[in-house]
Amino acid sequence: MKEINASLDELDKVVSYLYKTLPSDAIVFLRGDLAAGKTTLTQAIAKAKGIEGEVTSPTFSLQQCYGAKDGSSLYHYDLYRLDHEEFMQMGLFEEFEKPGWHMVEWGSDELKAFLEGVGYNVAMIEIETNENSRTYRIEA
């Protein structure tokens, strides 16, 4: 596990580490309290990928997809209101077959275990808020 302490201005340290560590197709679970910075980290990743336009939390749409200039894709999920069974019934897990990085906010332990059980490599980033920074605990 890697631990990185970073302020909002230093998020590039976290993004740089992820680029060095994660494969081009990755599922990344983002954990942290409300307002911990899950969407903010996804926005920093999108910016690094050259994605233009606003990157927002997909709270009501469940998923947002962004195309990067390099041809890769970034998927952003917010599963706050969705339990594992509903997720499976909607067929959303098939989205993880698409190439790119899949950033999953509020994903359950059950979903993580399922994805690992069917052969996906799942990374986990736990974000803890500090006074002027965040601690990012990354298991990749």
Side-chain angles (χ1 to χ4, degrees), residues 51-122:
I51 294 170
E52 296 176 358
E54 191 176 10
V55 173
T56 59
S57 179
T59 303
F60 298 104
S61 61
L62 302 179
Q63 178 199 54
Q64 301 277 25
C65 176
Y66 304 97
K69 287 182 178 177
D70 65 4
S72 69
S73 295
L74 179 68
Y75 301 88
H76 187 197
Y77 306 81
D78 185 330
L79 306 182
Y80 184 70
R81 304 174 328 276
L82 204 62
D83 68 27
H84 178 69
E85 200 162 301
E86 290 173 302
F87 184 84
M88 298 304 283
Q89 287 173 352
M90 296 173 80
L92 281 173
F93 93 93
E94 294 168 6
E95 292 293 302
F96 295 124
E97 290 290 324
K98 295 179 179 176
W101 283 8
H102 297 261
M103 311 303 291
V104 181
E105 295 186 29
W106 303 106
S108 67
D109 289 336
E110 193 176 7
L111 176 60
K112 184 177 182 288
F114 170 80
L115 292 171
E116 291 170 336
V118 296
Y120 288 102
N121 288 324
V122 181

Side-chain angles (χ1 to χ4, degrees), residues 33-61:
D33 294 334
L34 282 170
K38 297 177 293 292
T39 298
T40 302
L41 177 58
T42 302
Q43 290 168 336
I45 291 167
K47 183 179 176 186
K49 285 184 168 284
I51 294 170
E52 296 176 358
E54 191 176 10
V55 173
T56 59
S57 179
T59 303
F60 298 104
S61 61

